[in-house]
Amino acid sequence: MDGGPRVPEQRRPGFPAEGEESGALRFGVLGPVRAWRGEETLATGSPQQRALLAALLLREGRTATAAELIDALWGEEPPSQALAAVRTYASRLRKVLDPGVLVSESGGYAVRGLAEGALDLARAQDLAAGAEKARSAGDLCHARDLLRRALALWDGEVLAGVPGPYAQTQRVRLDEWRLQLLETRLDMDLEQGCHAEAVSELTALTAAHPLRERLRELLMLALYRSGRQAEALAVYADTRRLLAEELGVDPRPGLQELQRRILQADPGLAEPPAPAGETVTATVRPAQLPATVPDFTGRAAFVRELSDVLSAAFGGSATGRVMAVSALAGIGGVGKTTLAVHVAHQARAAFPDGQLYVDLQGAGARPAEPETVLGSFLRALGTADSAIPDSLEERAALYRSVLDGRRVLVLLDNARDAAQVRPLLPGTDGCAALVTARVRMVDLAGAHLVDLDVMSPEEALALFTKIVGEERVASEREAALDVVGACGFLPLAIRIAASRLAARRTWTVSVLAAKLADERRRLDELQAGDQAVEATFELGYGQLEPAQARAFRLLGLADGPDISLAAAAAVLDLPAEDAEDLLESLVDTSLLESAAPGRYRFHDLVRLYARACAERDENPPSERGAALSRLLDFYLATAAGVYAIERPGDRLVEDLEPTHYPGLRFEDGSKALDWLYSEAAALLSSVRQARNSDRLRPAVDLLWAAKDLIESGANSHQYEATARAMCEATRTAGDARAEGRARTTLTNVLLVYGRIQQAEEEARLAMELAASASDATAVSWVANDRGLICLHQGHHAVGKAFFEQAIRGHRAADNRLGEAVTLANLSRAYLALGDVSQAVDIARQSLAAHSQLGRPMRRASAHFALGLALAKAGRHAEALGQFADAQAIFDAHRQRLWVGNTHFRIAEVHLAAGQFAPAAQHAEQALALGCVGGDRMRGNVVTLLGRALAALGQADRARACWHEALTLYEQSGADEADEIRALISPAPTAQ
């Protein structure tokens, strides 16, 4: 089952379940009473006839006497011809069912001979029993899946439309059972750490069943684990008041105990009590350690020291079992990773539940994010993707829970600092962590610190000899000492030098020593600090063939964290096949790493060295700029193609800077988006890198063509930083056209964040600059943005004027998509001005225009606008249909924030229609996803959630929501703050 609690999917009635014969009889009672033969729906007759069939089916083959059936159908006041009626109903059913199914026996009737699982209730009972057994065995993953399948068999009201006292009794019994199954499934959801997802469903369920204390208890726990303590306590207060008013009783002891623990911030509530079944699969034992080198040499004292610390994790110390942490520090190339991997392999037997490894890239410009690493670790430990929460705190808590009771060794390589490491440490004894870094982690509490220095001359010579061979070194010992001395006794430098020598049988040790003695082939800083590693890289670089060396130099120029094969081919100006051969040969020399199939990266120091080589060796020097220009052209051409696929009819792609290097071409929109999101970091790095070049215009156009990265919510912060950098660069360069476009992209980001005042300032500047540069395309799009800003500020008439200006500009440029998009926004202006009829008409025009263009992505905005207008007109059902269409499109195109906005609007419609439970549920989903509009929009969502909860009688939780909204509004300076204060402290009524 997936990780998020949700309303169970319904199998289409009348279709066979898995494993059923297509022509067999099947019956349903967990909804209307129905019968099917294969895919054919059978006529089951009048309500009383269906009541008879239900009574027989629910007896599971046992005989029901005529008197029992009469009592079941009519109770204490049967009609005078009741017995004849029963016989008539039975006769009619025999004609519909297979021969021998409805039998007469001992003056009564029975249903016999059905295939296993022919009755939906029987299938549900089997699935529930299997779920209970799986849960007892600790397999929550399977248990949840079985319960999901059981709950999916319900199809509306049980025995719907069936009269009689027996049907009513069974209806109550089966409804209660369904709620028990739901509570059990939700309980397992929380055990697996899916608390944030459970809040939405539990909010709806508590609204539907306000006196059911177990649901209230689960909701309190889910809210508390989602960081919403005030709301959790408010749920208790609402429950206590409701129970007192309705039943005159106090909450049960379990609920009172939970409230006490929440008030005390009991640490035991902060995470699931035990590893969840779906989270941990007993058979998953990760073995991620890199291979240890066969020629590991020396470091004997360090090996003993680290091994002694690790032994404490499994009870080998006088203090008993502990969670052992060792942190190795030293300069790059000193052998930290080699030593840590060697010690970890020696200790594998002491950690039978697995070994985890990650390169934290701490020495680079963009260290690995702890939440990303935790996601990878949790997957390696058997956690399904859907069960992995979003936030760092929740992932860390789940990670510690998964490791509880297990003996796992974690190797955290190349860390930046203690803050990066802390969330990745196991939390219980029996586990251990080895950390390598370039800085001493004095602020990593409880860590055993080890400072790793260069090798001694004896160890260095021994390592060199193992790699090169005793025979070649014995006769040239002095030359060998000269080699390791020139390498600064750094293990990485020695290993590279010795490996090159070993691969060249015609060389002698003296030849290598002579090469190293030439200071022109070594950096001056060979004997000092990190630059000792650069000297080692010089050895490897010097042995490259000319084509390899050129590739090494030019690839090092790109700023991105890694580079795809296609992008590398652009840098090198080579066909992809030739580029791949060169890159793979560099991987073989260890000067380049293969990050994943088709992707490559430099170690951070190797990249710096490659750039130094490019500055020194690349001739003509202009080739460095040309290589980066080809990379920028590649990204711009490809991003423009993605933009054109997603926005047919938009003439912007014809108004971008021309490119001189081709990009990739996609036929499938999904693959195009895959490329955009996978290349986001490298693409934005390329834009930033161009800010000091003469290629500002294509860089800004690339930023604009990649604007989908904003609305996805995944890359918004990187995009904003890049947009700000380009605004400054273009201002300094005095390029009005480029600066206008850069400020247009920044305006888009600020609108997504809800920073309206800043967006207004940037949009005003953007329009002035675009107009001065005669950039009609930018003027039209900025006019649209200024219209949106005016709507946020309440200047609706001015916003309408801006939208009309944008439409005129788009029409003049034959930009059909721009016109369609702006029409949707113009509809919202009319709506704000009170002209609902005109708003509906214009939204329909926008929808028609989008439909003619074909690609559905931007059509979502038209559905969204039409939904708003229809909602304002009170046509709630139609509005919900439009919002559902918009949501499906946003979701398919990975616009997470817009999916959140659509949930919010759906919640508004439900609230206006008096449907408070679904309003609260959709508001919760909007909170979980996030929304375009930043904190101000979040304030709108929690305000609406509070209104829905208040209508459901949950006054205390509603006030908790409003307090959060007030804080958000005050921080953003929103006018809505006064409205919230009135909700929290209503004015006294006149006496």
Side-chain angles (χ1 to χ4, degrees), residues 2-49:
D2 59 7
R6 61 188 64 184
V7 178
E9 285 187 14
Q10 301 294 336
R11 182 175 64 85
R12 286 183 61 191
F15 281 77
E18 184 178 348
E20 293 177 353
E21 296 180 13
S22 60
L25 279 177
R26 295 185 312 286
F27 298 91
V29 294
L30 299 178
V33 176
R34 291 171 292 188
W36 302 274
R37 181 181 292 106
E39 298 183 8
E40 176 191 1
T41 301
L42 303 180
T44 51
S46 65
Q48 285 80 13
Q49 187 169 310

Side-chain angles (χ1 to χ4, degrees), residues 973-989:
D975 296 337
E976 292 89 343
D978 291 337
E979 175 190 349
I980 298 303
R981 292 189 189 97
L983 284 173
I984 295 173
S985 303
T989 57

Side-chain angles (χ1 to χ4, degrees), residues 153 169-170 219 234 262 299 350 409 442 518 538 563 584 673 680 686 715 717 809 834 838 848 863 916 944 946 958 960:
L153 293 170
T169 300
Q170 293 300 311
L219 177 57
I262 290 175
R299 309 294 201 186
L409 176 61
V442 294
D518 184 359
E538 183 75 31
I563 192 166
E584 289 297 327
L673 287 176
S686 181
N715 306 97
H717 294 291
Q838 185 74 348
H863 286 297
F916 305 121
L944 184 148

Side-chain angles (χ1 to χ4, degrees), residues 111 141 333 408 497 639-640 660 692 718 738 801 906:
V111 171
C141 175
V408 174
H660 306 289
N692 296 319
Q718 276 186 297
I906 293 172

Side-chain angles (χ1 to χ4, degrees), residues 396-408:
L398 179 59
Y399 170 68
R400 293 191 296 270
S401 297
V402 170
L403 291 179
D404 186 31
R406 305 180 77 182
R407 286 161 59 182
V408 174

Side-chain angles (χ1 to χ4, degrees), residues 13 70 73 130 137 173 213 223 241 281 357 412 493 517 580 622 658 667 673 689 752 789 800 812 832 841 873 881 891:
I70 291 171
L73 269 63
R173 178 181 71 86
E213 292 183 69
L223 286 167
R241 184 182 62 255
T281 303
Y357 171 85
L412 306 172
E580 184 175 20
S622 60
E667 299 297 329
L673 287 176
Q689 193 169 11
V752 168
I789 292 166
K800 172 176 171 290
D841 289 344
D891 191 49

